[in-house]
Amino acid sequence: MSSLAAARADNFYYPPEWSPKKGGLNKFHGQHALRERARKLDQGILIIRFEMPFNIWCGGCNSMIAKGVRFNSEKKQVGNYYSTKIWSFTMKSPCCKQEIVIQTDPKNTEYVIISGAQRKTEDYDVEDAETLLLPADEERDKLADPMYKLEHQEEDLKKKKEAEPVLVHLQRLSDSRHSDDYALNRALRDRLRSQKKRVAEEKRSARKMGLGVRLLPPSAEDATAAASVKFASKFEKSRRDKRAAIKAASIFPESSSSTSKNKLDLALKRRNIKAGAASALMASRVKPSSWQSAGSGSSRTQMPIMATRK
């Protein structure tokens, strides 16, 4: 042992005050060989590790407890089925501490939930599970009846005659296919070799297009799906209109030149008006007090009102 504590844990440590006359170590320490597991042994209860045999629903919180979950359960005998003992296992649910009691059923060779939970019913289809449908208990009892066998013997022979040619044909076909092992192996290797070449070619073409995944060969379904996709016509129309406007527009900035031209015309008009008013004033044909606003909406341009003397 590596240490004294390990020796004591394994029950291999003999203290100095022990002598063979005092019996074994368990008797010397006044304890059972199973330690804490046997604390209720006087009541006929032994603490064991119990593994859930099937999926169940907890009766306290309705949570599912899966098959294979282990518990510290109290095992005790509650009866007999002929000479076979019936054991009861009492444990607590890990989710809500609900007490669950399960017993063995030697007659049907299974476990039965007594209280605290409900078994989860799981039905499987025989064809989906690829298993054989076992006969029911009634059918098993009928098969043991000689009269039942005699009644169904003719029907079984008829089914055998009907299925025999099909079975013989299938057996011959299987023998013919597997008669030459070398040819089968060669055909399989050729198929794998061609498949590897095709995959390598697809990866090479994908790398040329800058894709990180391998593209599968095109199929009729892909072509049909691509043809059924319709893009929005509004987007195409707006794109065509934008392209037409860009092509029709000039490359020179016309907006700035037209603005400067309008400003120049307005300045010339103002200059002409001011020159005419000044000449009229010098000729004493216009009163200075006759300057008024040309219009209520324009605050920049003021035009003189020509007034002649009577």
Side-chain angles (χ1 to χ4, degrees), residues 200-261:
E201 183 65 26
E202 290 174 356
K203 289 183 178 179
R204 195 180 302 111
S205 61
R207 283 196 299 269
K208 288 181 180 179
M209 290 185 289
L211 300 176
V213 294
R214 179 169 58 92
L215 295 178
L216 296 177
S219 61
E221 297 179 358
D222 296 340
T224 305
S228 62
V229 176
K230 293 182 179 180
F231 296 97
S233 59
K234 197 173 183 180
F235 172 76
E236 295 291 337
K237 184 179 180 181
S238 62
R239 187 173 66 174
R240 286 196 299 267
D241 295 343
K242 288 181 180 179
R243 287 187 177 180
I246 292 171
K247 290 181 179 179
S250 175
I251 61 174
F252 299 104
E254 296 180 357
S255 60
S256 60
S257 62
S258 60
T259 304
S260 60
K261 186 178 180 181

Side-chain angles (χ1 to χ4, degrees), residues 7-158:
R8 288 179 177 176
D10 295 334
N11 207 11
F12 293 147
Y13 175 71
Y14 291 85
E17 58 271 14
W18 175 85
S19 63
K21 297 179 182 179
K22 296 182 180 179
L25 287 175
N26 293 321
K27 185 178 180 181
F28 174 75
H29 291 296
Q31 63 184 9
H32 195 273
L34 299 177
R35 308 289 178 88
E36 292 296 324
R37 294 172 54 193
R39 64 179 181 269
K40 296 183 179 180
L41 201 60
D42 56 342
Q43 305 174 17
I45 298 174
L46 180 65
I47 309 298
I48 66 166
R49 292 289 286 175
F50 180 81
E51 185 173 332
M52 192 62 63
F54 38 71
N55 298 330
I56 65 172
W57 297 105
C58 177
C61 59
N62 203 26
S63 299
M64 194 194 80
I65 301 175
K67 175 182 177 182
V69 179
R70 297 183 179 181
F71 300 88
N72 291 331
S73 63
E74 298 179 355
K75 174 185 174 183
K76 63 179 179 179
Q77 183 182 353
V78 293
N80 290 296
Y81 177 72
Y82 295 105
S83 61
T84 305
K85 296 179 180 180
I86 299 176
W87 298 101
S88 173
F89 304 94
T90 305
M91 65 208 78
K92 290 186 178 180
S93 172
C95 47
C96 62
K97 305 303 178 183
Q98 170 78 8
E99 189 176 82
I100 302 173
V101 181
I102 298 178
Q103 288 185 5
T104 57
D105 186 7
K107 181 180 179 180
N108 299 316
T109 63
E110 64 177 0
Y111 291 91
V112 179
I113 300 176
I114 302 301
S115 63
Q118 183 180 2
R119 184 171 181 175
K120 182 181 179 182
T121 56
E122 297 177 342
D123 298 332
Y124 299 96
D125 192 1
V126 178
E127 296 181 358
D128 295 340
E130 297 181 357
T131 57
L132 296 176
L133 181 62
L134 298 177
D137 295 338
E138 298 178 358
E139 295 294 333
R140 293 179 188 175
D141 297 338
K142 289 180 180 180
L143 292 175
D145 187 5
M147 296 301 296
Y148 182 82
K149 286 184 178 180
L150 183 62
E151 290 175 359
H152 292 77
Q153 187 175 6
E154 295 295 333
E155 185 178 354
D156 295 340
L157 291 174
K158 184 178 180 181

